Amino acid sequence: MKLTAETVAILKNYAAINQNIQFKEGKTLSTISPQKNILSSAEISEDIPQTFAIYDLNRLLGAMSAYDKNPELTLNENQMLINGLTKYTYGDPAMLVLPPEKKLDFPDPEIKFKMPKDKYDACLKMAQILSLPELVVHGDGNKIFLVATDTNNASTDEHREEVGTTDKTFQMVFKIENMKLLSGSYDVGISSKGISHFSHEQAKLQYWIATEQNSNYNG
């Protein structure tokens, strides 16, 4: 089995959410953060022939990247062989933080908009430059904005990008540290019940991210 560049990119993204992962037989990858506030699922082109768990995904990706070309992965009962040369031992699923088996019941979102890559990237870049801890989806009854800000500081710097229209007022707050999305544009839905959904416009990739306690929605 060989992994495509697209699948490797998803795995690198998942390693930033949780070092643990379980590859399941089939074409679906999923992960959940240790705090249980980020969940993601992806449909990949490869057909994984068996279920196995990895304790440290970054370590596996590092071993794979040591080969100049995309290495061949041979799956055995307790280990995989990387290019027939490197043995990598599976983890114990009982010791890992893994997503629930049951599919998430996502409520109908009251807030919907498209989030272009350039506007999202601009907010994240400015948040890093200005040391801003939060990304807020703000509705003023007319427009929807992405805002890099600090809701706990009345005199904070901020950066905002317009991303849609609305007749509602709301402030849905996310911690920047939880916005671990693979690069790209997204269709976004946010529920007032404290959960959001980000669907990648090109890849079959989606995330569910919890909003913070100080979020508010006025329907």
Side-chain angles (χ1 to χ4, degrees):
M1 177 180 74
K2 289 191 174 186
L3 302 180
T4 64
E6 291 77 14
T7 297
V8 172
I10 291 171
L11 289 172
K12 287 179 179 179
N13 173 250
Y14 278 11
I17 296 173
N18 184 353
Q19 70 172 359
N20 306 155
I21 193 167
Q22 186 174 51
F23 289 79
K24 290 193 171 184
E25 184 177 349
K27 291 178 171 287
T28 302
L29 293 175
S30 60
T31 192
I32 192 168
S33 65
Q35 299 80 17
K36 309 292 180 69
N37 55 1
I38 309 169
L39 175 68
S40 182
S41 176
E43 295 295 320
I44 59 173
S45 56
E46 299 88 342
D47 194 351
I48 307 298
Q50 70 184 60
T51 297
F52 61 96
I54 298 295
Y55 177 75
D56 190 339
L57 182 53
N58 271 320
R59 192 162 169 258
L60 172 61
L61 292 169
M64 290 170 56
S65 69
Y67 292 91
D68 291 337
K69 295 182 179 180
N70 187 12
E72 179 73 32
L73 307 179
T74 304
L75 306 182
N76 299 317
E77 185 178 357
N78 298 311
Q79 296 173 321
M80 74 166 64
L81 272 177
I82 305 174
N83 259 17
L85 299 172
T86 304
K87 289 183 179 179
Y88 192 95
T89 304
Y90 304 144
D92 179 357
M95 303 296 292
L96 310 185
V97 178
L98 301 175
E101 294 289 339
K102 185 180 178 183
K103 187 177 179 180
L104 177 68
D105 184 17
F106 181 63
D108 288 337
E110 295 94 342
I111 303 163
K112 295 180 181 179
F113 62 95
K114 290 186 178 294
M115 187 172 74
K117 177 184 183 299
D118 59 341
K119 295 190 175 187
Y120 175 66
D121 288 352
C123 282
L124 289 193
K125 182 176 181 180
M126 200 56 70
Q128 183 177 25
I129 292 170
L130 299 177
S131 298
L132 301 171
E134 294 163 333
L135 183 70
V136 172
V137 177
H138 173 67
D140 64 3
N142 183 26
K143 296 178 179 179
I144 301 174
F145 299 92
L146 283 183
V147 188
T149 188
D150 182 351
T151 58
N152 294 312
N153 181 356
S155 59
T156 184
D157 302 319
E158 69 169 40
H159 176 83
R160 62 175 52 211
E161 298 276 351
E162 183 181 337
V163 291
T165 59
T166 183
D167 58 358
K168 306 293 191 296
T169 59
F170 48 82
Q171 178 168 278
M172 312 308 290
V173 183
F174 299 89
K175 289 183 178 178
I176 291 287
E177 65 194 52
N178 292 337
M179 302 306 294
K180 295 178 178 178
L181 306 177
L182 188 71
S183 180
S185 298
Y186 285 83
D187 291 315
V188 183
I190 306 176
S191 168
S192 61
K193 294 180 173 63
I195 188 73
S196 64
H197 179 238
F198 295 80
S199 180
H200 199 286
E201 287 191 349
Q202 279 78 46
K204 293 180 179 178
L205 173 65
Q206 51 190 334
Y207 301 81
W208 295 266
I209 303 175
T211 58
E212 297 303 305
Q213 292 289 332
N214 61 333
S215 299
N216 61 76
Y217 175 81
N218 300 307

